[in-house]
Amino acid sequence: MEKDCLKTVESFDKTGFNHTMSLISGKYKLTVLYAIYRFKVIRYNELKRYLGIVSHKTLSGTLKELEADNLIQRKEYPQIPPKVEYSLSNQGETFIPILYSLCEWGEKHMGMQI
C-alpha cells in the first residue's frame, strides 16, 4: 500500500520527502541530532569530543544549518569565557521517532547483505 507522501506530485521539490531531506542532508546532521538528543544539553567542545572525527569547520557549519532550520536551539551565556549550549528545539524533538526508526532498521539489518 502506497503512502500519500510517496505519491507522485507535479514536481519533486514540492514533496515532503524533499523538504525533509533538505533539512537533514549532510554528512553529520543526523549524528549531531542524535548526540544532542542523547545528552539533552551539550556544549560545543563536549559535542566535538563525542563525535571525534568531525572538523571544527564542519561541526560549526552543521550546527548553524540545524539552528537555521529550527531543529536545534543555541543558548549563549554572556560571560567570559563564552559559554554556548545546544539542545533540540520543539521541532527537533518531533524528529526523534524518525531517528528511532532508522536505528531499529539498522539493528534489524546489521550484518545482512542488502
Side-chain angles (χ1 to χ4, degrees), residues 20-36:
T20 302
M21 292 307 294
S22 74
L23 297 177
I24 62 168
S25 63
K27 189 169 182 178
Y28 293 102
K29 283 187 177 181
L30 291 175
T31 306
V32 168
L33 285 172
Y34 168 78
I36 293 173

Side-chain angles (χ1 to χ4, degrees), residues 53-65:
I53 59 172
V54 62
S55 72
H56 168 74
K57 181 180 177 181
T58 300
L59 181 56
S60 292
T62 298
L63 290 167
K64 286 176 185 174
E65 289 174 15

Side-chain angles (χ1 to χ4, degrees), residues 79-95:
Q79 65 185 48
I80 297 180
K83 178 181 174 184
V84 177
E85 294 177 337
Y86 295 92
S87 60
L88 291 177
S89 65
N90 290 336
Q91 184 171 324
E93 289 280 348
T94 67
F95 193 75

Side-chain angles (χ1 to χ4, degrees), residues 5-8 17 27 31 59 66-67 69 93 95 100 106:
C5 67
L6 298 177
K7 286 187 179 177
T8 305
F17 179 80
K27 189 169 182 178
T31 306
L59 181 56
L66 289 170
E67 182 184 13
D69 291 334
E93 289 280 348
F95 193 75
Y100 274 119

